[in-house]
Amino acid sequence: MKPVRRSMILLMLAGTSHTAFAQDTLDIIVPFAAGGATDIVARSFEPPFSDNLGVTSVVRNVAGASATEGTAEVANSEGNPNIIGYEPAGALSIQPSLKDLPYGPDSFTYICRTTSNPMFLMVSQSSDIENFDQLVAASQEEPLLYGSSGPGTLPQLAVAALVGESDLEASHIPYSGSGPAMNALAGDEIQIMADTETILANYDLRPLAVFADHRIEGYEDVPTIGELGLPEMEFAVWQGLVAPKGISQERKTQYSDACKATLESDRFKSFAEKAKAGIAYLGPEDFEAFVKQRYDANKQVLRDVGLIE
Amino acid sequence: MDIILAAVGDAFAWQALLAIVVGTWAGIIIGGLPGLGSVVGLTVFLPFTFGMSTITSMALLIGVYCGSVYGGSITAILINTPGTPQSAATTFDGYPMTQEGRVDEALGWATFASFFGGVLSCVILIFCAPQLAKFAVNFGSIEVFALICLAMMCIVGVSKGSVMKGLVCGMIGFFLSMVGSDPITGADRFTFGSYALSSGLTLIPVVVGAFALSEVFVRFSSRDDPGAKIPEAKLRLPRLGEWFKRLIELVRGSLIGSFIGALPGTGAAAAAFISYASAQKLSPRRDRLGQGEPDGIIASESSNNAVTGSSFIPTLALGIPGDVVTAMMMGAMVIHGITPGVRLMVDQAQTVYSLFVVLIIVNVAMLILSKPSIGLFRYLFRLHQGYVMAAIVIFSFIGAATVRGNPLDLVVAALTGILAYALRRADYPLAPLVIGMVLGPELESSLRRGLLIKRGDFLEFFTHSGISMTLFSLLALFIIWTVWSGIAQRRQSSANAPRAESDATK
């Protein structure tokens, strides 16, 4: 019996030391697998962020279920001041409307928005379509197909909203990611795709319009959706930091100050330039209002296209 | 020319060479441990590369990647447990050879086929990347559907004894792959209202359960049987004459792997199964396949290692990652300021050329390091079998848990292990289960995308394009051939049976 008892005591000791140290390490949850586009940004964000906070951080990838798995883990850690999530737009503003999730837009303490990139409507460079009117005309002759990186993702929502508001005739084909969708676009299986500048530049595509309220630097000749005589539409791929509910106001301020300082650091700025991530800081209150506004807007689109009741 | 010389210089810098040796060796060991595969290996090494130069970090990651794909075959051959899903097809012939006492030969063929596949795909990558990428783009959903159907045929070949049992296992695997989100609508299915199940079942926990854990159970139940001991790992590379005799097999496997690797979204495990299926039809020694025939190992290992080189084709030519592993490599490139995409070949020619050189050095390093790595496994497996099995269980669970950090995966691994043990006891082949699981998601989503494109008319699949017509005709031929040879065999055996009986009565 003695060895068992001893090992139990050892285990308890190990347990207590763990909780003691946990004060000084921060868990940064990335709800995607290591090496993905969001993960890369999060891992570049982490070192200056940790320096600013004065803690050691561990980036932990909890992937699955359209990024809701890791997001749920953050939401479920209520009151834990040592866990935050580096979250993509979809998991916060689309998935809660689509699925029965253990969290909703009210389940978090919002820290800051880090980056935001507007989405472009684009076609293959080899197509003859030069502008939005030609696209509509072509789709009237024969309905077109648009791709996305999966069901209920921003690329689907953006084009679906556009189809709902204009004379564009197009139906949706979901792929398992941006890569396969780009392959399909190159092989003319689909004709339309909405995504960010990164995709646009990497794959040498032709932008027809931008889902923003103003023209984008570097793409001055690309009109906004509003300029095409349609209602204004804003779709952007953004990321931000959230913490669980129930953390102290002091901790929240620490986080958001560190976030702001990180986004202003040269180290992160030079990375963002390389990775074409548009830094777009929003403070806690603004970010919370922004997420809730996006949540409602996306929910309306989902309802319009019939993905939810 | 200057640029090529500069690139070679970059690749032969001591930092890069050191990274290659460390990466490849670590890759072989990680790949050899059941449960820990290419993705886990790359995840472990990715953070180290942040501080390195571009070429050094790519060298490290490519080494880990290629090494792990090869390493999986070592445990597949030694203990019937593929170290990675990519090597699942290596068990079909590798383990029977081990049971016959031909370990050294089996490992030799696996090593040589891996090397051959890796190098041939590098050559293809260097000389035909743009052309192959252009051709691969023609593989839309419908063509991929036809290709996956062809690969599914290999279930028939690997279910020795009873095709029915094989199909049952294939369907179980297929069904397991359907749990989670619907790929087209995003709705949850087969989750029984449980949130934990809504992220679906991933491949690694299932493979770990089906092969590693069930093998541990089988060995546990026969622990007093002296024949169940792990044999001593030895390596004997095939001689020039031997491999020349099987040159066609090596080339076919490598070409299939190179082509599958160039298609985004398929990957090395699917390539190995497709290559094995074609060996079942085309190898001159196909009658012995599945009973310990080197051609089976060659088919599997040459094709899965050929994927390592050619998966860079869509990455380099189109900026599209071919699989999870190349997606991670692309991530590493972005960190170092290289933007993968259509202009990469033009803007970063020197980096791309050094990447080619690195790939070739990695394959050579793999060949050289195979001996010490197998020596290490020999040393490890000399321990008491109980310790080895305990370690396999531990690594299996570590592997299952690290894939995506979901505790559910531990339960999945354990349950699959128990299910697989029951199936093995009832003589059900397990390989079809993994084939169903590997190919199922792509089969389903390509079919459903095809139906969306054709507005629900399945008959139009057959006339969609020249490629799809060819593939579907091949599929028809395949089925007719299988049925025909089945009937012929039955006739022959029923013709022989009475004769044997009359012989016996004499």
Side-chain angles (χ1 to χ4, degrees):
Chain A
M1 211 42 217
K2 241 183 189 165
V4 176
R5 212 174 291 160
R6 270 186 201 149
S7 54
M8 292 294 269
I9 292 169
L10 254 175
L11 267 177
M12 275 168 64
L13 279 175
T16 48
S17 68
H18 179 76
T19 43
F21 282 122
Q23 294 298 322
D24 310 314
T25 42
L26 175 67
D27 253 5
I28 301 181
I29 305 284
V30 175
F32 288 108
T38 309
D39 181 63
I40 297 288
V41 185
R43 282 177 192 272
S44 311
F45 179 85
E46 183 268 323
F49 182 70
S50 305
D51 287 351
N52 275 307
L53 270 181
V55 297
T56 315
S57 305
V58 181
V59 173
R60 197 144 61 80
N61 299 93
V62 185
S66 313
T68 59
E69 192 76 46
T71 314
E73 183 163 337
V74 179
N76 289 340
S77 313
E78 201 172 323
N80 183 347
N82 295 311
I83 184 170
I84 52 171
Y86 193 89
E87 296 294 335
L92 292 181
S93 69
I94 301 175
Q95 295 296 333
S97 322
L98 266 183
K99 286 188 186 161
D100 191 15
L101 294 177
Y103 68 85
D106 293 320
S107 314
F108 303 100
T109 304
Y110 291 88
I111 307 292
C112 63
R113 184 176 75 179
T114 53
T115 66
S116 176
N117 289 73
M119 297 180 73
F120 289 85
L121 180 73
M122 47 211 187
V123 294
S124 165
Q125 197 72 267
S126 62
S127 107
D128 331 313
I129 294 163
E130 303 272 353
N131 57 46
F132 185 69
D133 290 335
Q134 288 178 12
L135 187 73
V136 172
S139 77
Q140 298 287 354
E141 273 171 39
E142 204 194 329
L144 300 173
L145 298 169
Y146 67 95
S148 76
S149 45
T153 53
L154 279 165
Q156 178 190 2
L157 258 62
V159 185
L162 187 64
V163 169
E165 297 287 348
S166 69
D167 296 329
L168 185 66
E169 293 282 335
S171 44
H172 174 231
I173 312 279
Y175 291 84
S176 52
S178 290
M182 282 303 125
N183 198 51
L185 192 64
D188 201 33
E189 184 167 291
I190 55 171
Q191 293 80 35
I192 312 169
M193 178 87 185
D195 219 316
T196 56
E197 188 195 339
T198 318
I199 302 277
L200 186 65
N202 285 5
Y203 302 105
D204 202 16
L205 302 171
R206 184 180 299 152
L208 299 182
V210 60
F211 291 91
D213 59 356
H214 59 278
R215 295 199 176 200
I216 304 303
E217 204 188 313
Y219 297 91
E220 279 84 2
D221 49 351
V222 179
T224 67
I225 298 287
E227 291 171 43
L228 297 170
L230 300 168
E232 286 275 349
M233 278 182 215
E234 272 184 68
F235 285 97
V237 173
W238 47 264
Q239 300 166 343
L241 279 182
V242 297
K245 273 222 143 342
I247 64 167
S248 66
Q249 187 62 38
E250 187 197 347
R251 191 70 175 154
K252 181 177 165 182
T253 320
Q254 275 177 359
Y255 280 146
S256 62
D257 289 350
C259 174
K260 189 156 194 248
T262 304
L263 296 180
E264 283 162 1
S265 71
D266 290 336
R267 199 163 155 193
F268 189 74
K269 268 186 185 161
S270 76
F271 161 78
E273 192 152 322
K274 277 192 240 164
K276 295 202 174 67
I279 295 175
Y281 174 78
L282 280 185
E285 285 73 32
D286 292 340
F287 183 42
E288 179 162 6
F290 171 77
V291 173
K292 289 183 174 162
Q293 181 252 329
R294 289 320 304 165
Y295 172 79
D296 292 335
N298 290 337
K299 195 165 188 165
Q300 190 54 45
V301 179
L302 288 168
R303 211 174 276 142
D304 291 345
V305 294
L307 273 173
I308 52 168
E309 307 228 321
Chain B
M1 199 59 213
D2 285 349
I3 206 165
I4 295 177
L5 283 178
V8 172
D10 283 350
F12 275 96
W14 68 268
Q15 296 96 331
L17 287 176
L18 183 69
I20 288 174
V21 172
V22 171
T24 312
W25 207 26
I28 297 176
I29 307 292
I30 290 172
L33 297 171
L36 309 187
S38 314
V39 177
V40 173
L42 287 175
T43 318
V44 170
F45 280 92
L46 191 64
F48 292 111
T49 63
F50 291 177
M52 298 177 182
S53 77
T54 313
I55 299 300
T56 316
S57 63
M58 298 305 282
L60 184 70
L61 294 177
I62 292 175
V64 172
Y65 178 30
C66 296
S68 64
V69 174
Y70 158 66
S73 69
I74 297 176
T75 26
I77 289 169
L78 282 177
I79 48 173
N80 200 18
T81 301
T84 60
Q86 295 106 312
S87 290
T90 310
T91 57
F92 303 159
D93 285 281
Y95 191 61
M97 282 181 82
T98 299
Q99 285 174 316
E100 285 173 17
R102 293 156 70 197
V103 188
D104 52 343
E105 214 185 311
L107 284 172
W109 278 114
T111 309
F112 187 74
S114 297
F115 168 72
F116 191 92
V119 170
L120 194 72
S121 80
C122 291
V123 174
I124 291 176
L125 171 68
I126 295 169
F127 292 105
C128 328
Q131 293 86 340
L132 203 57
K134 219 172 261 172
F135 182 65
V137 156
N138 292 321
F139 268 69
S141 302
I142 292 169
E143 288 83 1
V144 167
F145 173 69
L147 190 73
I148 303 281
C149 283
L150 259 175
M152 278 287 199
M153 287 291 122
C154 114
I155 289 184
V156 179
V158 297
S159 27
K160 283 160 282 178
S162 165
V163 175
M164 214 41 173
K165 285 182 174 176
L167 287 178
V168 167
C169 285
M171 284 302 131
I172 295 178
F174 193 23
F175 172 72
L176 290 179
S177 80
M178 292 175 81
V179 174
S181 290
D182 183 301
I184 303 298
T185 65
D188 286 345
R189 33 177 211 189
F190 309 119
T191 58
F192 307 102
S194 136
Y195 173 68
L197 274 174
S198 68
S199 50
L201 306 177
T202 44
L203 184 60
I204 301 278
V206 173
V207 168
V208 150
F211 286 106
L213 294 181
S214 81
E215 185 66 27
V216 170
F217 296 151
V218 167
R219 278 173 193 270
F220 180 72
S221 63
S222 63
R223 60 194 178 281
D224 302 322
D225 180 2
K229 274 242 168 71
I230 303 166
E232 188 149 321
K234 279 178 298 213
L235 174 74
R236 185 177 70 81
L237 288 174
R239 277 191 295 274
L240 193 69
E242 287 175 307
W243 73 261
F244 216 70
K245 229 169 49 189
R246 296 178 197 268
L247 187 64
I248 300 175
E249 303 299 312
L250 284 162
V251 171
R252 190 180 54 234
S254 311
L255 288 183
I256 290 176
S258 302
F259 182 69
I260 304 286
L263 296 179
T266 30
F273 288 130
I274 293 174
S275 168
Y276 194 83
S278 74
Q280 283 170 340
K281 291 291 158 209
L282 299 173
S283 156
R285 291 161 287 271
R286 56 180 174 270
D287 301 338
R288 294 247 318 123
L289 225 52
Q291 300 157 25
E293 168 57 45
D295 281 2
I297 300 180
I298 293 174
S300 165
E301 283 302 311
S302 63
S303 63
N304 67 22
N305 276 80
V307 169
T308 57
S310 68
S311 61
F312 286 97
I313 291 176
T315 315
L316 294 181
L318 306 169
I320 299 169
D323 54 11
V324 192
V325 181
T326 31
M328 289 183 73
M329 307 275 293
M330 268 178 65
M333 285 188 194
V334 172
I335 287 183
H336 289 100
I338 304 173
T339 319
V342 276
R343 274 192 293 270
L344 185 67
M345 287 277 218
V346 186
D347 296 349
Q348 301 276 353
Q350 190 176 332
T351 315
V352 172
Y353 288 131
S354 355
L355 198 135
F356 293 158
V357 181
V358 163
L359 258 171
I360 292 176
I361 307 177
V362 161
N363 277 293
V364 174
M366 200 170 78
L367 191 65
I368 297 168
L369 289 170
S370 63
K371 197 136 192 151
S373 319
I374 288 173
L376 184 72
F377 277 97
R378 173 170 59 209
Y379 182 74
L380 289 176
F381 287 161
R382 211 181 272 159
L383 291 167
H384 186 272
Q385 188 163 216
Y387 294 123
V388 177
M389 290 300 134
I392 287 178
V393 172
I394 292 171
F395 280 116
S396 299
F397 280 115
I398 292 177
T402 34
V403 181
R404 52 178 184 181
N406 187 341
L408 170 80
D409 288 340
L410 298 177
V411 182
V412 172
L415 288 181
T416 324
I418 295 166
L419 172 75
Y421 177 67
L423 287 172
R424 276 173 82 160
R425 274 284 143 125
D427 268 335
Y428 280 82
L430 288 176
L433 193 149
V434 175
I435 297 173
M437 182 88 192
V438 169
L439 301 177
E442 197 56 35
L443 183 78
E444 188 204 349
S445 61
S446 63
L447 169 67
R448 292 180 60 190
R449 276 200 304 267
L451 285 172
L452 279 175
I453 292 162
K454 292 292 173 200
R455 299 180 200 289
D457 189 352
F458 184 67
L459 284 178
E460 276 192 42
F461 273 43
F462 300 107
T463 54
H464 175 67
S465 68
I467 298 170
S468 75
M469 262 182 343
T470 317
L471 288 172
F472 279 117
S473 323
L474 271 176
L475 187 65
L477 268 177
F478 218 107
I479 295 172
I480 294 169
W481 191 343
T482 309
V483 172
W484 183 257
S485 60
I487 293 173
Q489 217 167 25
R490 195 165 301 164
R491 250 194 225 146
Q492 205 172 14
S493 60
S494 60
N496 284 342
R499 205 179 305 149
E501 257 170 47
S502 61
D503 282 352
T505 47
K506 258 178 206 169

